Amino acid sequence: MKISGAVLEEIGRERPYAESRPLSISELELDPPGPGEVLVRIERAGLCHSDLSVIDGNRPRPVPMLLGHEASGIIEQIGDSGDAGDVGFALGDRVVMTFLPRCGNCDGCRSDGVLPCGPGSAANNAGTLLSGGRRLTRDGSAVQHHLGVSGFATHAVVDARSIVRVDADIPADVAALLGCAVLTGGGAVINLAKPQPGDTLIVVGLGGVGMAALLTALAVGATVIGVDANPDKLGQALELGASAAYSPADAAELGVKSATVIEAAGNVRAFETAVALTAPGGTTITVGLPSPTARAEVSPLGLVAEARTIVGSYLGSAVPARDIPIFADLWRAGRLPVEKLVSAEIRLDEVNAAMDALADGHALRQIIVF
C-alpha cells in the first residue's frame, strides 16, 4: 500500500532544519504484515530527542530511514500467523508502539527489564523489524525502519512484540506518550527509584522524559525537585507540581541533595550534576542517552566514601506489556496527567521546524496528528 512518511535522507545536516530539511515527506510502499506482524494506522506520533539524535549524528543509523518511535494507532490488518502463533491482538485495537521489541527468550528478556532484548537491539541497529525483515521501499529501494516502529507516517507495519494494547478510553496522544517518554521516565521511577509516599526525589533534565518522571513520582506520592539549565523548564516543572526547581548552579550552591536522583537529559554536564546532587548512601539513576563518545568525570573516592550508587536504566528498566497498563491506570485515575506534556500538535509536513524547536529546548513533546 502507498503511505506518506518523514524519511531521514542524510545525517548531520546543518541547522536550522526548517531550511536544510533532513526529513523529506515522501510517498513510500509499505508491504503487508508478515507472520507475527500487524499493520497499524498511526493516530499520533511524538517527537523525541532519540529522533533528534539520529538527525544530528549523535546516534547514527542507516539511511534513508523512516523516523519516529513514539506513536499510537489502530490495528487494521494482522499478518498470517503461520508458525508465529496468535499475535494476541484484534482488528480495531488501539496500541502503543514501544521502541525496543522483546523476543521473550534471550538473557535480556529474562532480566525482567534490567537489560534490553538482544535480538531487539540488533534489529534496531540494523534498521529492520525483529524478524530481520524490512517492509518499506521507495522507488524500488529499501528504506530502513526506525527502532522497529517508523511512526512518522500514516501507517506502519510492526512486529506484534513492539506494541501493547490499551483500552479505547486512553486518548491517542496519551497512548503515544506512554510508549517512550512515560515508559522511560516513569519506568525509572516505578522500577528503580520506587519512592515511598513522602520521599523526595530530584529529576535533572526537564525535557519530555524528565517531566514524565516528575509526573510519575508525584503520582505515587513523592515530593519532586526539578533541576535544569533552562529557566523556562523550571517554571514548567513548578506548574506540574514540583516542590522546587533550580538551575544546576543554584542547586549546588544551596546544597540541595536527595537519596534518589534521576538524570534524564542525556548529556555529560547533567550526568555530573546528578551525581553531585546524590546524597551519601543514595542512588543516581541515569536514563539519558548521550553521544557514544561522551565522557564524564566522577570521583571514585566519593562513591566509595559515601557509599553511593550509579545505575543505568534503558527504557526505564521497563517491561512494556507489564508497565504500560500501570501507567494507563494511573492516567485513568487522574493521577498521571500525561497530556500536560504536550507542547503543540503539528502536521507531518511541519516536522523539520519542530525538530528545531526540540533542539532549542522550546518543547516538551510535540505531537504529529494524522
Side-chain angles (χ1 to χ4, degrees):
M1 67 181 293
K2 298 291 186 182
I3 67 169
S4 180
V7 177
L8 177 63
E9 304 290 354
E10 180 184 13
I11 289 173
R13 287 191 184 176
E14 295 294 324
R15 292 192 58 206
Y17 298 130
E19 296 179 5
S20 65
R21 303 189 68 79
L23 294 165
S24 66
I25 308 305
S26 299
E27 182 181 85
L28 303 99
E29 185 70 29
L30 181 64
D31 290 341
E37 298 171 355
V38 299
L39 169 68
V40 177
R41 173 175 55 82
I42 304 298
E43 296 182 288
R44 301 288 189 275
L47 274 63
C48 171
H49 270 90
S50 291
D51 304 308
L52 182 63
S53 66
V54 182
I55 293 171
D56 66 19
N58 274 318
R59 298 188 70 78
R61 301 283 183 184
V63 294
M65 173 174 278
L66 178 52
L67 278 195
H69 66 282
E70 182 182 75
S72 65
I74 302 296
I75 293 180
E76 291 196 335
Q77 185 180 353
I78 297 174
D80 179 12
S81 293
D83 294 333
D86 183 7
V87 297
F89 297 94
L91 297 179
D93 281 348
R94 174 167 286 154
V95 293
V96 175
M97 312 286 203
T98 65
F99 66 81
L100 181 64
R102 301 191 75 85
C103 74
N105 300 312
C106 68
D107 289 343
C109 288
R110 286 190 287 268
S111 72
D112 198 33
V114 174
L115 296 173
C117 170
S121 297
N124 284 354
N125 290 334
T128 70
L129 301 182
L130 186 55
S131 66
R134 293 181 177 86
R135 305 289 176 257
L136 291 163
T137 57
R138 183 179 57 179
D139 299 327
S141 298
V143 173
Q144 313 296 326
H145 294 268
H146 184 213
L147 301 179
V149 176
S150 290
F152 291 171
T154 54
H155 294 78
V157 166
V158 298
D159 192 285
R161 291 165 290 186
S162 290
I163 57 175
V164 176
R165 192 187 76 83
V166 292
D167 291 338
D169 69 313
I170 304 297
D173 55 347
V174 171
L177 296 177
L178 295 183
C180 177
V182 177
L183 201 58
T184 302
V189 173
I190 67 171
N191 294 317
L192 289 177
K194 299 179 180 178
Q196 299 300 305
D199 287 352
T200 297
L201 182 148
I202 295 175
V203 177
V204 178
L206 300 174
V209 171
M211 292 297 199
L214 183 154
L215 287 176
T216 304
L218 293 174
V220 297
T223 298
V224 183
I225 297 171
V227 176
D228 199 287
N230 185 333
D232 292 339
K233 296 290 181 66
L234 301 182
Q236 291 173 325
L238 293 172
E239 291 174 2
L240 290 177
S243 65
Y246 304 103
S247 69
D250 287 346
E253 183 178 348
L254 294 170
V256 175
K257 289 184 181 290
S258 175
T260 304
V261 181
I262 295 176
E263 180 277 315
N267 67 61
V268 168
R269 181 166 295 182
F271 174 78
E272 293 173 343
T273 295
V275 172
L277 299 182
T278 304
T283 300
T284 308
I285 301 167
T286 177
V287 302
L289 292 173
S291 165
T293 61
R295 296 294 181 268
E297 291 188 6
V298 175
S299 167
L301 178 61
L303 298 180
V304 174
E306 296 185 352
R308 289 188 281 127
T309 303
I310 300 174
V311 179
S313 176
Y314 189 73
L315 188 58
S317 305
V319 177
R322 176 195 68 198
D323 295 345
I324 286 175
I326 294 173
F327 296 125
D329 285 344
L330 287 171
W331 176 85
R332 190 177 288 112
R335 295 165 57 189
L336 187 63
V338 175
E339 61 276 7
K340 292 185 178 180
L341 299 178
V342 178
S343 304
E345 292 185 342
I346 65 169
R347 302 186 310 270
L348 181 62
D349 61 7
E350 296 176 304
V351 67
N352 284 297
M355 287 296 175
D356 284 319
L358 181 63
D360 290 335
H362 297 325
L364 294 179
R365 272 301 191 268
Q366 299 166 93
I367 300 289
I368 301 172
V369 177
F370 293 95

